[in-house]
Amino acid sequence: MDLEERPRLSAEAEREVTRLWRTWRTVLEMLLDRGYNIASSELTISRDEFQRKFGDQQTGHAERRLMKLQAYPTPEMIARDTPRRTKANPEPQTTAGPIWVEFSPETTIGIKHLRAFAQHLDSNKMTTGIFITIGPVTAAALRAFEPLAERGITAEHFQEQDLLVNITRHELVPKHVLLSAEEKKVLLDRYRLKETQLPRIQFHDPVSRYLGLKRGNVVKIIRKSETAGRYASYRWVF
C-alpha cells in the first residue's frame, strides 16, 4: 500500500499508531539486548511498514491482537544462562529458552486475562513471557503469574507507556551487562567477596526490568570517565 492509499486516520488515531510503533521498536530492542535473536530488518521497521503489518485494512488503526511475537535465544545467551558445572550437576541445563510477547487489546485487565496468558506460556513450553497492557494491572490480578515460577517460567508485565522510550539508549544511562554464572564466580573469587557484599541494584529498577534481571544476578555497569576512558562497577540484584 502506497502512502497515498493508506487509510486516512484521525489525528488521535495517527498519534496512537505512532505510539504503538515506538513501543514495538523498544520491545524488539529489549529482546535483542537480553540476548534473543532479532533480525535487523525487524529492528528497523518503519512507521508505515508497522501500519501495513499491524493495521486494520479498513481503518488503518493498529490491531493490538496482531502484535505478538516469539523469539529464541542466541548461542551466546544460551552459554551465558547455563549454570556452572559442579560435581552435583556435571551437565547443567541452560535456563535460556523461547520468549513470547503479547500486546493486550483490552482496556481493563482482570485475572482471567493473565491466567489465559499464563496458560499459553505453560502449554507452549515458553521460558519467558511479556504481557503488555494499555493500562495498569492490579497486584491481585498479577498473582495469576505466581504458579508459573514453580515450573521455571518467568512472566513479566509492562504498560505500553513504560516502553515508549528505550531508557537504555539515553546518554545518561550507563551500559549494563549481565554476567554469566562463571563470570560472577570469577569476580567474587578475585575480590574474595560474597555476592551480598556487592553494591546493590533493585529488582524493580527500570534497567533491571528492561533486561529481565532476576534476584541474585550480578551486572557489570560500564561508565564513561574523562580520565580513564571507561570504568566498570558491579551490582547485585536484590
Side-chain angles (χ1 to χ4, degrees), residues 7 18 99:
T18 299
I99 188 170

Side-chain angles (χ1 to χ4, degrees), residues 182-224:
E182 184 63 34
E183 290 169 332
K184 176 180 172 180
K185 184 179 185 303
V186 169
L187 172 72
L188 297 177
D189 288 349
R190 180 191 303 161
Y191 295 106
R192 298 180 181 180
L193 294 172
K194 295 180 180 178
E195 60 182 22
T196 54
Q197 293 176 297
L198 291 170
R200 302 184 176 195
I201 182 172
Q202 290 187 345
F203 172 69
H204 294 297
D205 180 270
V207 176
S208 294
R209 294 189 67 218
Y210 176 89
L211 291 175
L213 301 182
K214 297 177 174 63
R215 288 185 173 89
N217 286 158
V218 172
V219 287
K220 180 180 182 179
I221 302 177
I222 304 169
R223 291 183 170 86
K224 295 179 181 179

Side-chain angles (χ1 to χ4, degrees), residues 142-189:
L142 285 171
R143 292 195 187 101
F145 287 163
E146 291 178 357
L148 292 174
E150 300 172 2
R151 296 190 283 279
I153 303 171
T154 300
E156 306 171 35
H157 165 254
F158 287 87
Q159 283 184 243
E160 290 176 6
Q161 65 183 24
D162 298 332
L163 300 167
L164 270 172
V165 175
N166 186 337
I167 58 171
T168 67
R169 299 298 193 263
H170 194 284
E171 61 180 5
L172 297 180
V173 177
K175 184 175 180 61
H176 290 59
V177 179
L178 172 61
L179 298 189
S180 67
E182 184 63 34
E183 290 169 332
K184 176 180 172 180
K185 184 179 185 303
V186 169
L187 172 72
L188 297 177
D189 288 349

Side-chain angles (χ1 to χ4, degrees), residues 4-22:
E4 293 79 7
E5 299 173 347
R6 193 176 73 191
R8 181 171 297 176
L9 305 182
S10 66
E12 181 181 356
E14 288 279 6
R15 287 193 295 270
E16 183 182 50
V17 168
T18 299
R19 286 197 304 269
L20 285 170
W21 166 61
R22 291 170 59 190

